[in-house]
Amino acid sequence: MLLPALTRAKQSAYAVACRSNQKQLALAALMFADDRNGEMLAASHWDAGLNANREWCFAYVPTSIDDALKNGLLGPYIANVNKVIQCPAVRLDERVLQGLNTQGRPNVSYGYNSFYLSEKIIIAVGHWRGFPITSVKKPTETITFSDSGGLVKGLLYPTTDILGPKWITSSGKPEPSIHDRHGARAIVAWLDGHVSAERTAPYERLPMPGGNHLGYLDPNQDQVRDDDWFDRE
């Protein structure tokens, strides 16, 4: 009797911590845009001074993970960024962690709605530019961050971007990236700064270790692919 209660309490605490993390990310993204005359985060930004690409959470610098995090686009806006980007409910396989360490990549539990909120500028160096935040018609219904992940050889691995149901990937097959790790729901941060827990769409859900799934977020909860929560239009 006691063990199930303790498990539920732990899961509830994880969800509270995850909400707090994503609240901090959402507010940091708003501050980032405010400092740049309303330009939102980009999928990646080529920094000539660093000679590296900078994503929202880290930069591809050949030094340390701490340096990578510090030079992420949101690094200057978040205290203890190495903790904020990790959901306590995520348990990665040791093989995945070793691979991240070899690549110099941090363990990131959340994905940004980068492909819908920014546009390509210089493809050769992976340079993108964020759209004006004023161009988003429904900020209370537009996703900024979400619990995320990818599937490789049956293992969960981190992904820093999230995809809408209609996004066409280079693989030509579904690549759901929303991880419903909190009681079959994913924690989601919205462009206006509020946070909620949402169910994944009832299609193309991939079973994951631990009984959770990777899926898509779809406001209609039907079989019709819908990017309404991703598209700024």
Side-chain angles (χ1 to χ4, degrees):
M1 294 289 290
L2 183 60
L3 187 58
L6 289 174
T7 299
R8 288 193 297 272
K10 182 183 293 186
Q11 291 173 344
S12 178
Y14 288 163
V16 170
C18 185
R19 282 175 176 267
S20 176
N21 287 347
Q22 291 203 51
K23 183 71 172 179
Q24 292 182 67
L25 293 177
L27 294 179
L30 289 173
M31 288 189 289
F32 176 94
D34 188 58
D35 284 346
R36 288 160 181 78
N37 297 315
E39 183 179 306
M40 292 184 288
L41 281 169
S44 64
H45 175 84
W46 173 254
D47 189 314
L50 285 177
N51 192 35
N53 277 102
R54 301 171 67 191
E55 293 190 5
W56 67 268
C57 56
F58 73 101
Y60 292 88
V61 292
T63 48
S64 67
I65 289 180
D66 284 342
D67 283 341
L69 291 169
K70 180 177 67 177
N71 286 290
L73 294 174
L74 291 188
Y77 297 89
I78 304 173
N80 298 319
V81 63
N82 59 319
K83 294 182 179 180
V84 173
I85 62 172
Q86 294 187 31
C87 172
V90 174
R91 295 291 184 270
L92 296 180
D93 187 275
E94 186 62 32
R95 289 166 289 179
V96 175
L97 292 172
Q98 290 177 356
L100 292 175
N101 187 60
T102 299
Q103 299 169 35
R105 293 173 61 97
N107 179 3
V108 183
S109 303
Y110 308 114
Y112 172 56
N113 184 16
S114 54
F115 301 136
Y116 293 82
L117 300 183
S118 63
E119 61 180 338
K120 295 177 182 177
I121 299 299
I122 306 174
I123 297 176
V125 295
H127 183 64
W128 292 55
R129 176 178 61 197
F131 286 115
I133 197 168
T134 53
S135 69
V136 180
K137 293 184 178 180
K138 298 179 180 179
T140 61
E141 300 175 26
T142 302
I143 292 169
T144 309
F145 297 98
S146 175
D147 289 331
S148 68
L151 185 65
V152 174
K153 296 181 179 179
L155 299 175
L156 175 71
Y157 75 92
T159 176
T160 57
D161 304 299
I162 49 177
L163 302 175
K166 295 171 66 176
W167 185 266
I168 300 174
T169 67
S170 59
S171 68
K173 61 182 179 180
E175 292 187 18
S177 55
I178 309 299
H179 192 199
D180 63 355
R181 52 181 170 250
H182 297 289
R185 293 176 182 266
I187 305 298
V188 179
W190 305 84
L191 192 60
D192 70 331
H194 84 278
V195 176
S196 65
E198 304 292 341
R199 292 191 182 279
T200 51
Y203 52 79
E204 294 173 356
R205 298 167 76 236
L206 301 177
M208 299 297 294
N212 299 316
H213 298 82
L214 289 179
Y216 295 101
L217 288 173
D218 186 334
N220 294 330
Q221 284 292 302
D222 56 21
Q223 296 296 330
V224 180
R225 291 172 175 267
D226 189 344
D227 278 355
D228 283 354
W229 279 352
F230 288 82
D231 197 334
R232 65 193 176 92
E233 300 296 332

